[in-house]
Amino acid sequence: MEKSKVLVVGGTGYIGRRIVRASLAHGHRTFILTRPEIGLNIDKLQLLLSFKAQGARLVEASMEDHRSLVAAVKQVDVVVSAISGLHFLLQLKLVEAIKEAGNIKRFLPSEFGIDPARMAQALEPGRVTFDEKMEIRRAIEGANIPHTYVSANCFAAFFVPNLSQMRTLLPPKEKVHVYGDGSVKVIFMDEDDVATYTIKSIDDPRALNKTIYLRPAENILSQNELIAKWEKLSGKVLERIPIPSDEFLASMEGTDITNQMAVGHFHHIFYEGCSTNFDIGEDGEEASLLYPEVQYTRMEEYMKRYL
Ligand code: GFR
């Protein structure tokens, strides 16, 4: 079967650039939405030019120009959005364009985190992440657009080398704050693997109108297991400082909105175990079972580059 032509929206972003690379690597004709708003962001422009040199096609369109979006969508079969959390609701315009164009066989909106359908009780203000994703889902399903939602759980770079410490992306040297008793199971994903599983799902009928959960067995780890792996690799012993749940939540007080959102997200992940505290139901599939051929990166491997 001819491989789908893919349009990536948000293709210069943190996960979007990886989805562009995976799409090219898997032999899809790959188109990247190039927005005039890119302005003077030289890094993004040069990244786009490097993708163009690798065979991707840059498609000029603006989220503010409906006709340009319809014309862009008409050139492809599949649209993958990896728009950043700051602009989730711009995707409503993308849904309108896909609805009008009528040719899209699969639309993947910008998800790639915890399953928002399970976060109706999430804490303020971080709940906005999940509420906006659900608004996009309602628009997609209201327009009967064929879709796949990818719940990728925790991007390793934000949660693994730092042993899930907040406000840093680097390993702690002496002390490590432990959430509760550190035993809650969490799923960590190498970002390149997230992109691989995403691209594998776009032409897979088993993923049609389903949520694909990325839950590879060896990456389901507690914070204690993460700390032990790092201590083994680095030869260091870290002093553990337990943080009870209420004390952690209280740390929201008086901090900026970004930190408040993150504290909420961390609480759901590391105290409630929201990435692992449920069984995948009828509306879901697990990626490493669908695609066992993917040699996903284990977290010891991921940590080695930080030694
Ligand atoms: C795992 O799924 C999610 C993760 C999700 O669905 C929504 C949000 C998150 C992450 C955010 C990713 O940007 O939770 C926290 C946030 C990342 C972040 C890490 C923000 C502030 C920090 O201080 C931080 O410390 C590493």
Side-chain angles (χ1 to χ4, degrees):
M1 175 188 74
E2 165 83 347
K3 281 188 175 267
S4 291
K5 291 176 284 185
V6 179
L7 173 67
V8 182
V9 180
T12 61
Y14 183 67
I15 199 70
R17 67 186 66 179
R18 290 172 169 87
I19 290 171
V20 167
R21 290 188 190 114
S23 179
L24 288 167
H26 283 75
H28 294 280
R29 296 242 318 270
T30 305
F31 300 68
I32 312 172
L33 199 80
T34 305
R35 303 190 293 131
E37 293 84 0
I38 198 166
L40 296 175
N41 190 322
I42 187 79
D43 292 325
K44 285 183 179 290
L45 177 65
Q46 294 197 337
L47 188 56
L48 286 170
L49 292 173
S50 80
F51 288 147
K52 181 166 169 282
Q54 295 168 57
R57 290 167 183 73
L58 306 186
V59 182
E60 300 221 348
S62 165
M63 302 303 259
E64 307 311 327
D65 173 354
H66 178 69
R67 279 184 358 78
S68 73
L69 277 186
V70 172
V73 162
K74 280 192 167 166
Q75 296 182 52
V76 299
D77 309 301
V78 171
V79 178
V80 181
S81 169
I83 271 184
S84 89
L86 297 175
H87 307 296
F88 279 150
L89 294 185
L90 275 180
Q91 294 179 110
L92 291 171
K93 298 176 186 288
L94 192 51
V95 169
E96 282 311 305
I98 290 169
K99 195 165 136 186
E100 178 171 324
N103 61 305
I104 292 303
K105 295 188 321 195
R106 195 78 63 86
F107 175 42
L108 281 68
S110 193
E111 291 255 353
F112 306 112
I114 297 295
D115 181 358
R118 302 182 47 82
M119 301 304 287
Q121 303 310 320
L123 293 169
E124 297 283 4
R127 60 166 304 122
V128 68
T129 306
F130 310 114
D131 293 345
E132 290 188 348
K133 286 180 177 179
M134 290 311 287
E135 186 175 345
I136 300 303
R137 288 190 181 195
R138 281 191 294 275
I140 291 167
E141 291 163 28
N144 285 316
I145 294 169
H147 55 271
T148 294
Y149 304 137
V150 175
S151 174
N153 295 309
C154 295
F155 289 174
F158 282 101
F159 294 96
V160 171
N162 57 7
L163 305 183
S164 305
Q165 304 302 284
M166 293 195 68
R167 280 179 297 282
T168 176
L169 297 173
L170 292 171
K173 295 193 183 321
E174 278 108 30
K175 302 181 172 62
V176 57
H177 288 117
V178 177
Y179 302 118
D181 64 4
S183 67
V184 168
K185 291 286 189 177
V186 179
I187 302 157
F188 303 99
M189 287 300 299
D190 174 293
E191 293 84 349
D192 293 337
D193 294 335
V194 172
T196 299
Y197 285 123
T198 298
I199 288 299
K200 278 182 171 286
S201 75
I202 62 174
D203 284 342
D204 186 342
R206 296 172 298 173
L208 175 60
N209 296 341
K210 290 274 181 32
T211 300
I212 304 298
Y213 296 90
L214 310 194
R215 196 183 271 194
E218 293 184 42
N219 287 11
I220 304 173
L221 299 164
S222 68
Q223 192 189 10
N224 290 335
E225 288 170 311
L226 221 44
I227 294 167
K229 286 176 189 293
W230 176 248
E231 288 181 323
K232 186 158 175 278
L233 273 175
S234 65
K236 288 198 181 89
V237 175
L238 295 169
E239 180 195 350
R240 286 152 172 75
I241 302 171
I243 308 286
S245 170
D246 49 351
E247 192 182 310
F248 182 69
L249 284 176
S251 74
M252 262 194 210
E253 304 307 314
T255 63
D256 63 71
I257 185 99
T258 305
N259 186 63
Q260 289 182 39
M261 289 177 68
V263 169
H265 293 155
F266 272 66
H267 184 265
H268 296 309
I269 296 164
F270 290 97
Y271 289 92
E272 295 172 355
C274 65
S275 64
T276 53
N277 66 359
F278 65 97
D279 293 327
I280 294 170
E282 291 307 301
D283 269 2
E285 293 285 348
E286 199 284 315
S288 66
L289 299 180
L290 285 181
Y291 314 112
E293 69 277 12
V294 175
Q295 299 304 312
Y296 63 90
T297 298
R298 274 60 173 180
M299 291 300 115
E300 291 87 349
E301 196 56 41
Y302 196 94
M303 288 175 167
K304 278 186 184 154
R305 66 194 81 167
Y306 290 78
L307 278 172

